[in-house]
């Protein structure tokens, strides 16, 4: 997928007021704007599923990166099940779920902790993987995850990320499939959280200062 095929979410084109769509009452005061309404997210995922299936031949192991990736994963898999390859068949899918944590105090080794057991990871050898992530921000965690997965010798690894943040902190990593390229703001909703809140919001929204303060973690 080429960058021209990403949807570029610029403030001029994407500027929905909170009054334009339905927001849960408990988040009404905590958001600045709606960046990507749920209907548009769904239409975009349908297109991504077609692009992925068009470039897939054999069975695929679809790996959900938890927790933020769960909604994108669920909707992507459900569209992929309805897609057929050029030869007219559905792609056999198996599903995996991983939690990934970067080692914060040892960035230079580029290591990550993965919740899958070694036996589960060894099972990936020779398989075609599709990693499903909600957002690529700096890209550091994904780069480390891919490096770790490569040691288990999968046949191929592709990454689909619903969002790619346009940030100067990016390490330069670009996923194979991108739904939307978004501005450098903190976004929530559609399973993306702020301290575990806002996962129950259907639209992707920009949080405001009230929301940040209300749901801040106090130590
Ligand atoms: N929102 C939620 N989670 C995130 C973000 C974001 O903007 N960037 C990286 N993780
Ligand atoms: Mg994520």
């Amino acid at each position: 997928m080429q960058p021209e095929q990403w949807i570029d979410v610029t403030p001029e084109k994407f500027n929905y007021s909170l009054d334009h769509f339905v927001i849960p009452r408990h988040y009404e005061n905590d958001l600045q704007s709606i960046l990507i309404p749920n209907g548009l997210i769904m239409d975009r995922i349908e297109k991504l599923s077609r692009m992925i299936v068009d470039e897939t031949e054999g069975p695929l192991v679809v790996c959900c990166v938890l927790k933020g990736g769960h909604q994108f994963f669920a909707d992507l898999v459900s569209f992929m099940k309805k897609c057929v390859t050029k030869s007219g068949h559905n792609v056999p899918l198996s599903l995996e779920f991983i939690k990934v944590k970067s080692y914060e105090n040892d960035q230079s080794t580029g290591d990550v902790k993965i919740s899958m057991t070694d036996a589960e990871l060894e099972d990936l050898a020779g398989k075609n993987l599709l990693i499903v992530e909600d957002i690529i921000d700096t890209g550091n965690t994904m780069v480390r995850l891919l490096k770790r997965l490569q040691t288990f010798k999968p046949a191929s690894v592709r990454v689909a990320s619903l969002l790619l943040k346009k940030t100067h902190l990016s390490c330069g990593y670009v996923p194979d499939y991108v739904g939307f390229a978004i501005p450098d703001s903190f976004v929530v909703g559609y399973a993306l959280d702020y301290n575990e809140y806002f996962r129950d919001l259907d639209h992707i929204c920009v949080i405001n200062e009230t929301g940040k303060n209300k749901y801040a973690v106090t130590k």
Side-chain angles (χ1 to χ4, degrees):
M1 186 173 185
Q2 300 302 314
E4 305 84 68
Q5 292 170 286
W6 306 343
I7 294 183
D8 194 15
V9 177
T10 58
E12 306 84 69
K13 282 193 284 180
F14 293 78
N15 190 13
Y16 303 103
S17 134
L18 298 179
D19 298 332
H20 289 156
F21 300 98
V22 176
I23 294 286
R25 196 156 284 160
H26 54 280
Y27 293 138
E28 239 166 34
N29 300 318
D30 309 325
L31 301 167
Q32 184 190 94
S33 64
I34 297 170
L35 197 63
I36 317 174
N38 185 266
L40 182 56
I41 299 171
M42 297 303 286
D43 289 341
R44 182 61 176 158
I45 296 173
E46 183 178 12
K47 175 67 180 183
L48 291 178
S49 71
R50 289 226 64 89
M51 297 176 87
I52 294 167
V53 169
D54 281 350
E55 293 176 346
T56 302
E57 309 219 321
L60 204 54
V61 181
V62 193
C63 302
C64 173
V65 182
L66 295 169
K67 294 180 186 172
H70 90 84
Q71 193 66 57
F72 176 38
F73 171 87
D75 291 327
L76 185 70
V77 167
S78 110
F79 280 121
M80 284 173 73
K81 287 193 289 192
K82 293 183 199 129
C83 290
V84 289
T85 60
K86 290 180 181 116
S87 51
H89 297 100
N90 298 109
V91 177
L93 304 176
S94 57
L95 312 181
E96 281 292 346
F97 298 85
I98 38 179
K99 266 194 176 177
V100 181
K101 262 216 158 82
S102 290
Y103 286 110
E104 278 152 23
N105 55 353
D106 194 8
Q107 298 205 347
S108 58
T109 68
D111 248 351
V112 283
K113 272 189 207 159
I114 301 178
S115 65
M116 289 168 75
T117 63
D118 275 357
E120 287 169 327
L121 287 164
E122 277 155 20
D123 222 32
L124 300 177
K127 309 250 172 89
N128 294 306
L129 312 186
L130 178 72
I131 314 290
V132 179
E133 175 69 290
D134 52 355
I135 184 166
I136 302 290
D137 195 313
T138 65
N140 291 328
T141 302
M142 185 53 70
V143 167
R144 289 179 202 143
L145 171 62
L146 292 174
K147 200 172 145 203
R148 182 81 204 288
L149 287 175
Q150 287 300 350
T151 66
F152 296 92
K153 308 242 183 304
S156 69
V157 185
R158 285 177 291 165
V159 176
S161 183
L162 181 64
L163 307 176
L164 175 66
K165 200 178 273 193
K166 293 178 277 186
T167 165
H168 67 283
L169 297 174
S170 165
C171 71
Y173 171 75
V174 171
D176 302 278
Y177 303 96
V178 171
F180 302 90
I182 64 161
D184 193 1
S185 319
F186 199 84
V187 294
V188 293
Y190 195 73
L192 286 106
D193 75 308
Y194 173 74
N195 295 330
E196 297 301 325
Y197 291 91
F198 299 100
R199 294 198 200 272
D200 57 334
L201 169 68
D202 285 337
H203 314 294
I204 293 176
C205 299
V206 179
I207 191 171
N208 67 15
E209 285 306 308
T210 307
K212 279 189 193 169
N213 293 330
K214 187 158 148 192
Y215 298 111
V217 172
T218 47
K219 290 203 179 119

